[in-house]
Every structure is written in C-alpha cells, then in structure tokens.
Amino acid sequence: YSFPTRRSSDLLLDTILQGISTAEFADVLFRASAFARVVAAGRVRLTDDHHSALSTSRFLDLARDLETAARLELDGKLG
C-alpha cells in the first residue's frame, strides 16, 4: 500500500465536490457525507492516539448527520 500524494488527494476532493454549484442540495449533502467518511477512514488508518480517535468519531458523526439531512431534503422535510 502506498499513501496518496497531495495531487491524488486534491483530485479525489475535486471529484467528490465536482458539480456542487449545479447539483441538487441533497446531492451536495451526500457528497459531503461521503467525503467526511473518507477522511474518517484515513484518520483511523493513519493514527492511533486518543485525540485522533475523538476527531475520527466527530467526522463519522458529521457524515451521519449530513446523510440524514440529505434524506430529509429528498423527502422535502429539511426546511
């Protein structure tokens, strides 16, 4: 396994966020949720201290909240 380069990380971010200005809001929320999950997965793989574990947990919480908001938006209940 090789770690991603700065360039490949930038390309991943661009791909995830591509079309954000023209996408439906639910799609934007789903993309943000996916990105937060990717960040959390990377943090789990690269760190092992308590502070990093807490940060990872917060990214997972954010991902769940964004996904919930996306589903509410699809149902017309977000606000």
Side-chain angles (χ1 to χ4, degrees):
Y1 177 80
S2 63
F3 292 102
T5 64
R6 170 75 184 218
R7 177 77 178 133
S8 65
S9 296
D10 288 348
L11 290 173
L12 175 62
L13 179 58
D14 287 346
T15 300
I16 291 170
L17 300 177
Q18 187 176 25
I20 200 167
S21 63
T22 59
E24 294 293 323
F25 188 53
D27 291 336
V28 171
L29 293 170
F30 280 124
R31 287 172 184 249
S33 174
F35 182 73
R37 288 183 196 283
V38 168
V39 170
R43 292 187 70 80
V44 164
R45 182 131 171 97
L46 298 176
T47 61
D48 61 0
D49 61 50
H50 175 72
H51 177 71
S52 295
L54 183 58
S55 176
T56 298
S57 176
R58 289 180 178 155
F59 271 106
L60 289 173
D61 289 343
L62 175 63
R64 279 188 224 104
D65 290 347
L66 289 165
E67 185 174 343
T68 297
R71 294 190 187 289
L72 289 170
E73 174 67 14
L74 287 176
D75 293 339
K77 299 177 182 176
L78 187 57

